[in-house]
Amino acid sequence: STRVRSSAASDVYKRQILKMLQVIGKVSATEKMPSTIDNFYFWTDKGQILSPFDIVKVEHVSSNSDKSITYGVIEEITHVTDAASHFTNFISSNFGDTADSIGQMNRLGMNYVKAKVVCNTDDIYTPVLDGKQVSLCDEEDIRTALGLNDVKNPLVCGYLEMYQGNAAKKVKVELNSHFLIGPDGAHLNISGISGLAAKTSYSMFLLNAIQHKFKDIDGSSVAFVFFNVKGRDLMAIDETNTELPEKDKKIYADLGLSIEPFKNVRYYYPYTKDEIMQHAQSYAHPQDVERQKKNHKAFTYKFTYDKSQDKLDLLLANEDDSTGTLESCVNYVINGEGYFAGVNNWKDFQDKLDEYTKTAANGGVKNEIQVTSWRKFKRCVSKAIKNDIFSKVIHDNVGEVDLTSEIQHNLTANQVMVIDIARLDENSQSFVFGSVALSLIHIDA
């Protein structure tokens, strides 16, 4: 009797220890599915809820007296029973009786999981051993497994949710901001399903976090140039979200982020001659544009010929020019050769271009570029420069600006420039984007 009570107490103690360690299974290394330096398998109870990308840990050997820990990320979860085939299960359910949900035979079943090794605390990558206990991770384990500890120049980029139910964990994720922006920065890819606005939302979340991080750092600053390419989502980013749910506010608080919108925002809309027809050039609501202009936050942009002549090649970004004929025409215009000498506005440019498309003596000017090339060049650029943004004069007193000058002279620390190109044609979009990119490169230089 004493032995029975002692054994029962020992079992209770073991269960308490396993619960504390959150042990969910053991490593299983078989002849056909062995542990390797890259992967291992473990069995777990069929009621255990796990998901792909969850992280687990296994005690492993070490070169010293302490044991190392190997972390693995779940890749596949498989359920298996002692049935030899699906036909066996069919027979045991009274030969296909779907009304009986239990069946006439109790099958032994379990889940086995394939995990990919991500790291070991002692950099030991020999295969984990059969029978070793597999446990869920706490927040510190997850950060260790993913290399999230001691991140230099930390910038909060979101959080990870791991496991479900009472075992759920939420881990803040930080990255080195110098690898995202600045002289050591790289580009960021955000992938996802089209049409859900999730990619746009995350982009804005991350950029907002960057602005709030750098506004209080001495000696460091950041500025932003956004292109609005669809809808009006980016044309009101300085407005407070009054409908943000409390659960989302808590997430921001847990991450140490502010729920304030972007600061120091200036909006740039394509110029149109008829202000009543502003919707023809932008998806923004007219009342929003008017309010922004009254607050000196909104401007209309133009491109004059004298400041855009050397960028005509940007209008041809989407055109095939395998023979280089269009490039020859662009160089001819940029250098002011022939009739293009002294041209200083878009109308004169078009008039002189018409001369070169005439067959008779090639417009009366001797040059090596064929008439057919000039005609192709005209077809490519004429549609774009008919847009109102290609104008004769910029009137500063009514809020009209040249984007190149704006970037070079008015883009300051922590400022946000939002340039609307959503309703422009493809060639005009290429021209606006290229002009802005060249201006930014000039600043860096």
Side-chain angles (χ1 to χ4, degrees):
S1 176
T2 303
R3 291 180 180 177
V4 171
R5 287 196 296 271
S6 177
S7 177
S10 178
D11 290 342
V12 171
Y13 176 74
K14 288 180 180 179
R15 285 195 295 270
Q16 290 176 341
I17 292 296
L18 292 179
K19 184 176 181 181
M20 183 176 63
L21 294 175
Q22 294 182 296
V23 175
I24 59 172
K26 291 185 178 181
V27 175
S28 177
T30 67
E31 181 179 357
K32 294 183 178 180
M33 304 174 70
S35 297
T36 69
I37 60 174
D38 295 317
N39 303 288
F40 63 89
Y41 298 84
F42 66 92
W43 56 258
T44 184
D45 185 82
K46 56 187 177 183
Q48 177 69 45
I49 300 176
L50 295 172
S51 302
F53 307 112
D54 282 351
I55 295 175
V56 296
K57 62 179 180 180
V58 182
E59 282 192 353
H60 199 22
V61 298
S62 179
S63 56
N64 52 44
S65 58
D66 297 328
K67 294 181 179 180
S68 66
I69 301 294
T70 290
Y71 295 100
V73 60
I74 292 176
E75 289 190 333
E76 298 176 9
I77 304 174
T78 305
H79 177 66
V80 64
T81 69
D82 60 342
S85 68
H86 297 301
F87 193 60
T88 305
N89 285 330
F90 176 81
I91 295 173
S92 66
S93 293
N94 195 19
F95 295 93
D97 183 7
T98 57
D100 186 358
S101 60
I102 299 177
Q104 298 182 356
M105 181 177 293
N106 292 326
R107 293 290 180 188
L108 298 177
M110 69 163 187
N111 289 356
Y112 70 90
V113 182
K114 178 183 179 181
K116 183 177 181 62
V117 175
V118 290
C119 75
N120 178 274
T121 53
D122 286 350
D123 293 328
I124 296 174
Y125 291 99
T126 56
V128 294
L129 303 180
D130 179 75
K132 289 292 184 179
Q133 292 178 334
V134 179
S135 307
L136 299 183
C137 298
D138 58 22
E139 288 85 349
E140 185 62 26
D141 286 323
I142 296 171
R143 296 180 67 85
T144 299
L146 298 179
L148 298 177
N149 290 322
D150 302 323
V151 176
K152 296 181 180 179
N153 312 302
L155 170 69
V156 177
C157 63
Y159 66 92
L160 288 173
E161 286 186 326
M162 202 74 63
Y163 316 133
Q164 298 183 31
N166 295 331
K169 299 289 186 297
K170 184 180 292 185
V171 180
K172 180 169 67 174
V173 179
E174 297 172 322
L175 51 79
N176 189 331
S177 60
H178 288 190
F179 294 157
L180 183 62
I181 57 177
D184 298 324
H187 69 279
L188 174 70
N189 289 333
I190 302 175
S191 60
I193 300 173
S194 299
L196 300 181
K199 298 185 294 297
T200 302
S201 298
Y202 181 71
S203 300
M204 304 312 293
F205 165 83
L206 187 59
L207 291 167
N208 185 264
I210 292 173
Q211 186 184 53
H212 286 291
K213 173 181 174 62
F214 281 91
K215 69 179 181 180
D216 297 324
I217 297 179
D218 295 333
S220 297
S221 63
V222 63
F224 305 87
V225 177
F226 299 161
F227 289 94
N228 182 56
V229 297
K230 62 178 182 179
R232 58 177 295 272
D233 291 347
L234 301 188
M235 307 313 298
I237 60 175
D238 62 335
E239 298 181 11
T240 302
N241 184 358
T242 58
E243 300 179 358
L244 191 66
E246 289 299 322
K247 64 176 183 178
D248 290 342
K249 291 181 181 179
K250 184 179 185 306
I251 292 174
Y252 275 84
D254 293 341
L255 296 177
L257 297 175
S258 170
I259 61 173
E260 295 181 358
F262 284 93
K263 304 296 183 182
N264 305 324
V265 182
R266 293 160 67 98
Y267 300 97
Y268 297 86
Y269 296 94
Y271 170 77
T272 178
K273 295 177 182 178
D274 189 351
E275 291 296 333
I276 299 177
M277 296 295 292
Q278 178 70 41
H279 65 275
Q281 290 278 65
S282 174
Y283 289 106
H285 293 162
Q287 58 269 28
D288 291 343
V289 178
E290 187 64 28
R291 183 179 66 255
Q292 291 167 356
K293 286 185 176 181
K294 287 182 179 180
N295 294 328
H296 306 289
K297 293 182 178 180
F299 307 86
T300 55
Y301 62 85
K302 290 180 175 180
F303 295 95
T304 57
Y305 181 82
D306 59 324
K307 293 184 178 181
S308 304
Q309 178 186 4
D310 58 341
K311 304 172 187 174
L312 285 175
D313 59 314
L314 299 176
L315 292 172
L316 310 173
N318 300 306
E319 303 294 337
D320 180 28
D321 187 30
S322 56
T323 60
T325 55
L326 296 179
E327 182 181 0
S328 299
C329 294
V330 169
N331 292 333
Y332 193 85
V333 175
I334 291 176
N335 294 329
E337 299 184 43
Y339 286 159
F340 295 105
V343 172
N344 59 8
N345 61 73
W346 293 108
K347 184 180 183 307
D348 288 347
F349 166 71
Q350 287 182 290
D351 292 341
K352 302 306 180 184
L353 184 57
D354 287 340
E355 294 294 327
Y356 284 93
T357 60
K358 297 176 182 178
T359 304
N362 201 10
V365 178
K366 182 179 180 181
N367 67 84
E368 298 179 355
I369 302 176
Q370 300 294 321
V371 174
T372 54
S373 298
W374 283 112
R375 289 175 178 172
K376 181 179 179 181
F377 177 69
K378 179 183 177 181
R379 287 195 303 271
C380 294
V381 302
S382 292
K383 181 180 179 180
I385 63 177
K386 287 179 181 178
N387 192 294
D388 289 346
I389 64 172
F390 296 95
S391 187
K392 183 177 181 180
V393 180
I394 294 177
H395 301 282
D396 298 333
N397 59 327
V398 292
E400 297 175 0
V401 299
D402 173 76
L403 287 179
T404 300
S405 299
E406 279 290 292
I407 291 173
Q408 294 178 351
H409 304 297
N410 296 325
L411 184 61
T412 57
N414 263 338
Q415 190 179 61
V416 181
M417 291 180 60
V418 184
I419 303 171
D420 189 14
I421 62 173
R423 301 205 72 166
L424 297 180
D425 62 86
E426 191 174 22
N427 284 352
S428 297
Q429 286 182 340
S430 298
F431 186 87
V432 175
F433 180 84
S435 297
V436 172
L438 289 173
S439 302
L440 292 171
I441 292 174
H442 181 73
I443 290 178
D444 290 340

